[in-house]
Amino acid sequence: GLFPAVLNLATNALITTNATCGEKGREMYCKLVEHVPGQPARHPQCRICDQRSRVPHQRHPITNAIDGKNTWWQSPSIQNGIEYHYVTITLDLQQVFQIAYVIVKAANSPRPGNWILERSLDGEDYQPWQYYAITDSECLTRYNVPPRPGTPSYLKDDEVICTSYYSKIHPLENGEIHTSLINGRPSADDPSQVLLEFTSARFIRLRFQRIRTLNADLMMFAHKDPKEIDPIVTRRYYYSIKDISVGGMCICSGHAKACPLDPATNKSVCQCEHNTCGETCDRCCPGFHQRPWQAGTFLEKHECEPCNCHGKTEECYYDQGVAERRQSLNVQGEYVGGGVCVNCTNHTGCQPCLDGYFRPQGVSAPALASPCAGCSSHRCSASRETENGDEEEILDTEGDMLPGFCHCKTGYAGESCNRCALGYTGYPECLPCNCSVQGSMNADPCIGPCVCKEHTEGENCDRCKPGFFNLQQSNPKGCEECFCSGKTDVCTPSHLTYRRIEDMSGWYLTDLPGLTRVSPKQQRVDGHQQLSISNVAASQVLPQAYYWSAPSSYLGNKVAAAGGHLKFTVSYDFTEEEETVQVMVQSDVIIEGGGLRISTPEEGIHLQPSEEHTAEIVLEPGSFSVHGTDAPVSRRDFMTILANVKRILLRATYTYGMNAIYRLRSVSMEAADHSSAGRKVASAVELCDCPPGYDGTSCESCWPGHRRVNGTVFGGLCAPCTCFGHAAACDDLTGECLDCQHNTGGPYCDRCLPGFYGDPTKGTAEDCQLCACPLNIPSNNFSPTCHFDRSRGLLCDECPAGYVGARCERCAEGYFGQPLIPGGSCQPCPCNDNLDFSIPGSCDSLSGACLRCKAGTAGQYCERCADGFFGDALDARGCQ
């Protein structure tokens, strides 16, 4: 695919913020440097911020953050109020881009502490990209997100993590935050649709929620009079951003390598290639609809191909049904793709003739078509040229019809549709006979009385008996028995349509027991993936007869494949000429599941060297027998296998010759799908009226929160999981819960995880609460444990340094603070290690004021030598 270069999109963005320093007038701020509380700083490094100043370096508007210069944006300091912990910056990129990374560089302050990086497509609905917290524990307490320790890493393409990696206090200036949105995620090398949607954004928001401080701002809570607060402390705490870089590229669907800025609209415009058009190259250009549009990927370019309209028109559209019926000729002369030409001349339809006309044998495709003669439907079959120029007939699906023969309406038959079909009477107005041609055994459905097939009933034999479904003329018994996993006998034929499973990756060679695996060679031939294996190499580890084993996309629950077709193309040749080719006899297809193994008859494909053969197997019981016997397969056993297919084996070996090279290409399996837009109705797929607790078209699955006891399908039991609402699923065999949520653990999610307390059996998301030991702010380096006492409530098992009490609700000697209020904590008393801890109440437990200094020291913070003493109370701590 083609992709534009990754550019810094921030330089062209519109940037806004809800707070900038100096907006309300001159204010002083100081950089965060080492200082002694209560004493004047030797080098305060203080400056003025004033948005109205004529001096440029005193203005710090938000546009400084994206101008690429050495200027910066700065927020008001918390001297102006603690509400300035909460500041938001929004970038409008002016159109949706694919974002690869966001880099934020701080200026003259530390990096933000707690904040959220968010994205939006419309500027109204924002989703988080990543959380940042001062400590790992705050990831849980503030954002309810488990922390991701160490360097940020990602387990899913759209995982939103919380990290404290970028919230450290150091460096005090010029720190950087690098957030990669693609690198390190599972599909980074070939982005999935989930990752592409996760990284799409027009608006990017940085929502700051706490300045990274040295906790000195907590003094604001301890002082009732604002005048008591030392402003030289609080004016040091603010946000400053020197640069915001947003690495991203235009969304061009993998079909453009350039996306220049249009000066007229100020938007970047994709220069589409690969015959694609649209603002994001999201559709094929007119005349290029031979194949459906697909986004280009790192591995495939998915170029739009031109339709082959023989110069009769430049208009066409894609039709999946035409592609499946191989009715559209591409420009290479192959019947590949589904391009349908419209507004064509000379009645030709550009390739096949229009309804009412046909192309006689020997007449080339673009020539004038001949009108059908005497067809009541005004539609007839045509002929076409093969790739080598020979002519072949297109035969009608209901009878081998040569070119010019009529396609009759329902109820009519004959070369010119001049008589009634079987089961109809009264030409020229053919009406259905009394007896159903599908459900009766009458040789002539118009001569009664009606004799019903074994599984049909009614006066006209036109409906299935209770417990049966899917009335078909080709079924000797008329209808099929409801399987429904033995849970009900009420079922109806589905109105779903089949989709094709086509996957050539993950195939391998194996023996019948499945004990050995051999990887094949892979190559592309005529645009198709082809697998091959040398018999010389395979015979070193495999027996004479071995098989292609299907990957997971063909396995698992495939009850919706009933009645569909399994189709595959095989061939082989020799590296050296063989004197005699001894043919090997074995089954073409073997399917395993539910402890059963079935296979097609051993007299399967008789393949000659250098001959390519396409086999097509109908997935119904009549196509198989019990492997190794001639015993027929019951519908119950067949559906039990489809409910959990373990292996599908396709025959690989056709000769005993050692020099053979076997090949496999274009395997497809039809399976019904609620989202399929195919035309082939899957009436052989049953829709069962399942009892409560059971799900799936055949009741083969259980409701969410249930398990299939012992894994039995037919007659098996779906029982509720015993997880108290804390897990969505449990193990079928043991009943143990999978992926317990809501801070619970144990085999049945019946215990609170370490660090949490409560009763998980209540069945609510709030059963297990965080052990807040201490309350409100668990320490980053302390893993709290607690238990619940019925009379006393939550009791902490251990308190971190600085906290005491049954709930760690008080500060220990030598510490101060108010741990009971939100955001409160216990901090060491700022007494410069000159406190006499042997005396109770040596410092004020609320304000931190130093009340009992060590002998020889004095001052509010024990920062000087007492009267009658001399020396250094701070560094040398030697007052004599």
Side-chain angles (χ1 to χ4, degrees):
L2 300 174
F3 300 90
V6 175
L7 303 174
N8 182 8
L9 305 174
T11 56
N12 198 45
L14 302 176
I15 188 167
T16 56
T17 184
N18 62 348
T20 299
C21 69
E23 282 183 320
K24 299 178 180 179
R26 289 167 57 88
E27 63 176 271
M28 179 180 288
Y29 67 90
C30 303
K31 290 201 295 185
L32 187 62
V33 294
E34 296 295 334
H35 65 277
V36 179
Q39 292 293 312
R42 296 178 182 177
H43 303 287
Q45 300 191 30
C46 297
R47 302 287 186 272
I48 296 296
C49 180
D50 184 0
Q51 293 304 106
R52 303 167 192 168
S53 173
R54 296 182 180 180
V55 181
H57 67 259
Q58 291 186 353
R59 300 191 300 268
H60 300 284
I62 188 59
T63 51
N64 284 1
I66 58 173
D67 63 2
K69 301 177 182 178
N70 206 30
T71 57
W72 70 89
W73 162 84
Q74 188 168 309
S75 73
S77 68
I78 59 173
Q79 180 188 1
N80 299 281
I82 60 173
E83 66 268 19
Y84 288 110
H85 276 292
Y86 300 90
V87 179
T88 298
I89 297 174
T90 304
L91 289 90
D92 178 2
L93 305 180
Q94 304 187 70
Q95 69 187 86
V96 177
F97 289 97
Q98 214 83 59
I99 310 302
Y101 59 81
V102 177
I103 299 176
V104 179
K105 298 182 180 179
N108 58 350
S109 67
R111 294 168 293 189
N114 293 341
W115 65 288
I116 313 171
L117 180 63
E118 298 175 315
R119 64 186 171 101
S120 175
L121 296 174
D122 57 9
E124 299 290 335
D125 182 24
Y126 281 86
Q127 289 87 38
W129 259 338
Q130 194 153 300
Y131 294 96
Y132 307 81
I134 294 175
T135 64
D136 282 350
S137 59
E138 287 205 45
C139 287
L140 277 172
T141 57
R142 181 174 290 269
Y143 299 123
N144 196 30
V145 176
R148 183 62 47 83
T151 306
S153 59
Y154 310 95
L155 303 179
K156 297 190 300 182
D157 280 345
D158 58 350
E159 183 180 27
V160 179
I161 69 165
C162 179
T163 176
S164 63
Y165 187 78
Y166 292 108
S167 296
K168 299 177 177 65
I169 188 67
H170 295 288
L172 296 180
E173 299 181 70
N174 302 314
E176 297 186 5
I177 301 170
H178 293 247
T179 304
S180 176
L181 301 171
I182 295 180
N183 289 344
R185 295 184 184 268
S187 75
D189 292 336
D190 188 17
S192 65
Q193 189 60 35
V194 171
L195 183 55
L196 293 175
E197 292 176 3
F198 180 73
T199 55
S200 296
R202 171 179 170 175
F203 297 88
I204 297 176
R205 192 163 71 180
L206 289 66
R207 193 143 60 92
F208 300 144
Q209 298 184 319
R210 186 174 178 85
I211 296 170
R212 187 62 169 94
T213 71
L214 295 175
N215 292 329
D217 56 310
L218 298 178
M219 294 172 61
M220 299 180 71
F221 297 112
H223 293 273
K224 296 180 180 179
D225 187 354
K227 295 180 181 179
E228 297 179 13
I229 304 173
D230 190 347
I232 202 169
V233 174
T234 54
R235 68 169 64 125
R236 297 176 187 274
Y237 296 125
Y238 51 84
Y239 300 108
S240 66
I241 302 297
K242 181 186 297 183
D243 184 70
I244 299 174
S245 298
V246 178
M249 63 183 178
C250 299
I251 298 177
C252 300
S253 309
H255 294 301
K257 61 189 176 192
C259 186
L261 186 69
D262 184 351
T265 62
N266 202 33
K267 287 190 175 182
S268 298
V269 180
C270 300
Q271 292 185 342
C272 301
E273 299 185 39
H274 296 163
N275 304 317
T276 61
C277 292
E279 188 173 327
T280 58
C281 311
D282 57 347
R283 63 179 184 272
C284 291
C285 294
F288 291 86
H289 294 285
Q290 185 64 19
R291 289 182 180 272
W293 178 92
Q294 284 183 273
T297 70
F298 290 169
L299 305 178
E300 297 283 345
K301 66 179 180 179
H302 295 306
E303 187 172 13
C304 289
E305 294 186 13
C307 298
N308 185 6
C309 297
H310 299 284
K312 300 298 180 182
T313 184
E314 294 183 356
E315 300 178 50
C316 64
Y317 65 91
Y318 178 81
D319 188 309
Q320 180 65 29
V322 169
E324 291 175 354
R325 296 191 296 273
R326 294 172 57 85
Q327 291 179 324
S328 181
L329 196 69
N330 66 15
V331 292
Q332 284 81 35
E334 304 169 319
Y335 285 93
V336 176
V340 179
C341 304
V342 294
N343 295 332
C344 303
T345 58
N346 295 340
H347 312 293
T348 63
C350 304
Q351 287 183 26
C353 295
L354 298 178
D355 287 354
Y357 293 82
F358 76 100
R359 178 165 56 84
Q361 286 178 299
V363 177
S364 61
L368 180 66
S370 300
C372 299
C375 294
S376 61
S377 71
H378 301 295
R379 193 163 68 87
C380 52
S381 56
S383 66
R384 67 185 179 194
E385 291 182 3
T386 62
E387 294 181 16
N388 58 13
D390 296 332
E391 190 171 272
E392 64 179 2
E393 293 83 17
I394 300 177
L395 302 178
D396 183 86
T397 55
E398 297 178 1
D400 295 347
M401 296 174 61
L402 294 173
F405 282 32
C406 303
H407 291 254
C408 298
K409 294 178 180 177
T410 302
Y412 294 84
E415 291 183 9
S416 300
C417 307
N418 55 358
R419 60 181 173 83
C420 292
L422 179 67
Y424 292 83
T425 186
Y427 186 85
E429 186 178 359
C430 296
L431 299 174
C433 299
N434 290 333
C435 300
S436 166
V437 69
Q438 290 87 11
S440 73
M441 294 189 294
N442 298 51
D444 186 346
C446 296
I447 301 176
C450 302
V451 180
C452 295
K453 294 180 180 178
E454 182 179 349
H455 295 158
T456 64
E457 64 179 12
E459 185 178 349
N460 303 322
C461 307
D462 57 355
R463 67 175 184 268
C464 295
K465 289 181 178 179
F468 297 86
F469 78 108
N470 193 25
L471 179 61
Q472 295 290 330
Q473 183 178 353
S474 59
N475 189 334
K477 296 184 179 182
C479 301
E480 295 183 67
E481 185 179 6
C482 295
F483 170 68
C484 300
S485 303
K487 291 296 145 186
T488 180
D489 62 358
V490 180
C491 73
T492 58
S494 81
H495 296 288
L496 305 173
T497 57
Y498 288 114
R499 67 175 176 89
R500 282 186 177 182
I501 301 171
E502 296 177 296
D503 186 0
M504 294 303 294
S505 61
W507 288 83
Y508 61 90
L509 284 304
T510 189
D511 51 355
L512 184 59
L515 301 177
T516 306
R517 290 190 178 196
V518 176
S519 298
K521 289 186 176 180
Q522 302 185 37
Q523 62 182 130
R524 293 193 72 82
V525 178
D526 298 331
H528 296 278
Q529 187 78 10
Q530 179 173 274
L531 311 177
S532 64
I533 186 69
S534 164
N535 194 32
V536 174
S539 61
Q540 295 179 6
V541 291
L542 293 172
Q544 284 185 323
Y546 48 88
Y547 304 85
W548 301 100
S549 186
S552 60
S553 50
Y554 296 88
L555 311 179
N557 183 356
K558 288 293 180 286
V559 294
H565 286 214
L566 175 64
K567 187 176 180 181
F568 57 95
T569 301
V570 290
S571 63
Y572 77 93
D573 55 28
F574 292 108
T575 56
E576 299 177 12
E577 187 174 347
E578 295 273 342
E579 292 183 3
T580 57
V581 178
Q582 189 176 359
V583 177
M584 185 179 292
V585 178
Q586 63 185 110
S587 298
D588 294 328
V589 179
I590 300 174
I591 305 179
E592 295 179 6
L596 304 169
R597 179 185 289 169
I598 59 176
S599 58
T600 54
E602 287 193 350
E603 296 77 22
I605 301 171
H606 293 281
L607 193 60
Q608 297 301 316
S610 302
E611 172 195 356
E612 188 173 75
H613 181 84
T614 299
E616 195 161 3
I617 311 296
V618 182
L619 295 175
E620 59 185 13
S623 301
F624 299 87
S625 59
V626 177
H627 184 66
T629 73
D630 292 327
V633 178
S634 67
R635 174 164 166 79
R636 176 188 295 185
D637 287 347
F638 183 73
M639 293 299 291
T640 298
I641 291 173
L642 290 189
N644 190 7
V645 178
K646 293 295 186 183
R647 287 204 301 169
I648 295 180
L649 303 178
L650 305 182
R651 175 182 180 182
T653 49
Y654 293 88
T655 173
Y656 288 98
M658 282 300 298
N659 296 316
I661 294 180
Y662 300 111
R663 296 184 174 89
L664 174 71
R665 59 181 280 178
S666 62
V667 183
S668 68
M669 183 168 74
E670 293 177 328
D673 193 313
H674 287 278
S675 61
S676 171
R679 296 186 177 182
K680 185 177 177 182
V681 177
S683 60
V685 175
E686 62 184 8
L687 293 182
C688 301
D689 185 11
C690 301
Y694 298 84
D695 203 356
T697 57
S698 299
C699 311
E700 76 280 4
S701 304
C702 298
W703 280 359
H706 290 64
R707 68 184 181 105
R708 186 170 285 281
V709 179
N710 298 329
T712 305
V713 176
F714 190 85
L717 177 66
C718 284
C721 296
T722 307
C723 301
F724 305 103
H726 301 305
C730 58
D731 185 88
D732 280 348
L733 294 177
T734 65
E736 292 188 3
C737 304
L738 306 176
D739 192 20
C740 293
Q741 302 293 312
H742 311 143
N743 307 312
T744 63
Y748 305 103
C749 306
D750 54 351
R751 298 199 304 267
C752 290
L753 292 176
F756 296 85
Y757 75 98
D759 182 3
T761 62
K762 291 181 179 179
T764 70
E766 290 75 34
D767 287 352
C768 292
Q769 297 293 318
L770 183 70
C771 286
C773 299
L775 293 171
N776 300 318
I777 53 166
S779 171
N780 183 38
N781 298 316
F782 182 75
S783 299
T785 60
C786 62
H787 62 278
F788 188 77
D789 185 274
R790 292 187 179 276
S791 60
R792 302 171 64 190
L794 168 67
L795 297 177
C796 300
D797 298 326
E798 183 183 358
C799 293
Y803 296 82
V804 293
R807 303 178 67 186
C808 308
E809 75 278 11
R810 302 193 315 275
C811 293
E813 287 293 335
Y815 292 80
F816 76 101
Q818 293 179 279
L820 287 176
I821 67 171
S825 66
C826 291
Q827 301 292 326
C829 293
C831 301
N832 296 295
D833 289 336
N834 288 327
L835 201 67
D836 191 344
F837 291 107
S838 64
I839 305 175
S842 55
C843 82
D844 190 287
S845 62
L846 291 179
S847 68
C850 306
L851 305 178
R852 297 287 190 274
C853 296
K854 286 183 179 179
T857 61
Q860 185 178 355
Y861 301 104
C862 305
E863 77 279 8
R864 58 182 174 81
C865 291
D867 291 346
F869 289 78
F870 75 97
D872 185 353
L874 297 179
D875 297 328
R877 290 189 177 82
C879 290
Q880 302 176 37

